[in-house]
Amino acid sequence: MKPRDRLRIAMQKSGRLTEPALDLLTRCGLTFRQSRDKLFCFGEGEPVDLLLVRDDDIPGLIAQGVCDLGIVGRNVLSEFQLTGGREAEPLAELRPLGFGRCRLSIAVPQELDYREPRQLQGRRIATSYPGLLGEWLRAQGVDAGVVTLAGSVEIAPKLGTADAICDLVQSGGTLVANQLREADVLLQSEAVLAGPLALPADERGDLLELLLKRLDGVIQVRESRLLLLQTSRHSLEAVTRLLPGGPQPTLLPVAGQPDQLMLQALCAGEVSWRQLEEIKKAGAREMFVLPVEKMLA
Ligand code: ATP
Ligand code: ZN
């Protein structure tokens, strides 16, 4: 491969991962010139370009060196590592990205009383993930037939071409609609940033490092919440003890109420209603949970 001074990221052209992936890259300060119906988007602000492709092609494009990075489901990346990538360079999951969450699961007809993987012995299982399914069956010590299908896996039991399926599940709605139910989970998946094991030795290595730093900042802020509340000095200790994670809270006086304090805390994740109710019981009032847009420490 000829050295390149621009970084190239492969992402899904049109599908579940497209909008959130573009949104994430935009938040990292990347902008692109081409319209989205084209295959190639030229990066304007930074020397980072996009290639818009089918998600299944992404790991191969990175392994061949056509692209440096890719945004793809862990399910697709792992399957490639097991089946498609033997001759190619192994790839790394550089960052989990927190969207496109789903599970790769075994689903069986509703009437089957599934208790353990051994019940799949000698049965036929339809899937688009023969690598991951085969690995799981081996680990369970189960000998079953793997029927590889490119799509519409969920109708295989109804058609009589398989006894069970191994497919992606999010809400489970598709399974119910096909009289199937989730029986076992093989893999928890989400979109990930995939890339080579080692940083490229040319300028792209520095660019990649810069992008990873921005990405970490964006992910951290996306998951942060600012919690504001009022408490009496008397309840402060009890309230503080219940605060979800994060650095030390900031305390401010409340004008005209020397006994009261305003507390501000940065929380590392979602703050649930239940947590709020507990903190309130400990003596807090006037509670607010705010999303954080940007952060510069
Ligand atoms: P194409 O091959 O044309 O790029 P696709 O049909 O294979 O598209 P999508 O259905 O858009 O792909 O799914 C892309 C990814 O979204 C999946 O690989 C998976 O990681 C994730 N995903 C999240 N929830 C689901 C779900 N319920 N069903 C399928 N994929 C899901
Ligand atoms: Zn696909």
Side-chain angles (χ1 to χ4, degrees), residues 32 65 71 80 103 105 113 136 147 150 153 184 187 201 207 279 292:
F32 305 96
I71 296 179
F80 177 82
R103 327 179 269 288
S105 293
D113 175 27
W136 183 78
V147 181
V153 169
D184 237 317
L187 176 80
L207 267 173
I279 299 169
V292 178

Side-chain angles (χ1 to χ4, degrees), residues 110-273:
Q110 269 161 11
E111 63 274 13
L112 184 80
D113 175 27
Y114 182 93
R115 276 155 304 164
E116 50 174 8
R118 254 195 301 161
Q119 288 169 270
L120 298 169
Q121 179 74 29
R123 309 237 185 187
R124 296 159 306 160
I125 310 172
T127 190
S128 307
Y129 297 87
L132 287 165
L133 174 59
E135 190 189 47
W136 183 78
L137 288 170
R138 268 192 301 282
Q140 304 295 328
V142 171
D143 190 12
V146 175
V147 181
T148 304
L149 300 176
S152 304
V153 169
E154 66 280 0
I155 58 167
K158 221 183 283 174
L159 297 179
T161 47
D163 307 302
I165 67 168
C166 167
D167 204 6
L168 297 176
V169 182
Q170 195 184 35
S171 64
T174 310
L175 294 185
V176 173
N178 288 283
Q179 288 95 49
L180 298 169
R181 71 191 168 80
E182 197 171 357
D184 237 317
V185 178
L186 278 61
L187 176 80
Q188 294 285 351
S189 185
E190 66 187 283
V192 302
L193 183 73
L197 283 179
L199 290 184
D202 48 29
E203 274 127 284
R204 290 172 299 159
D206 299 336
L207 267 173
L208 205 154
E209 234 171 322
L210 175 92
L211 186 63
L212 285 178
K213 281 209 189 100
R214 288 194 189 177
L215 202 58
D216 289 338
V218 169
I219 292 170
Q220 194 190 350
V221 162
R222 193 179 56 192
E223 286 164 7
S224 297
R225 300 285 182 277
L226 191 68
L227 174 63
L228 299 176
L229 59 83
Q230 206 173 307
T231 174
S232 65
R233 288 182 191 273
H234 172 72
S235 308
L236 180 62
E237 207 195 307
V239 166
T240 311
R241 221 180 299 129
L242 292 173
L243 293 179
Q248 281 293 94
T250 309
L251 299 170
L252 304 163
V254 178
Q257 291 177 276
D259 173 47
Q260 294 290 309
L261 286 170
M262 177 85 186
L263 182 153
Q264 172 184 310
L266 192 66
C267 307
E270 199 68 63
V271 184
S272 69
W273 282 109

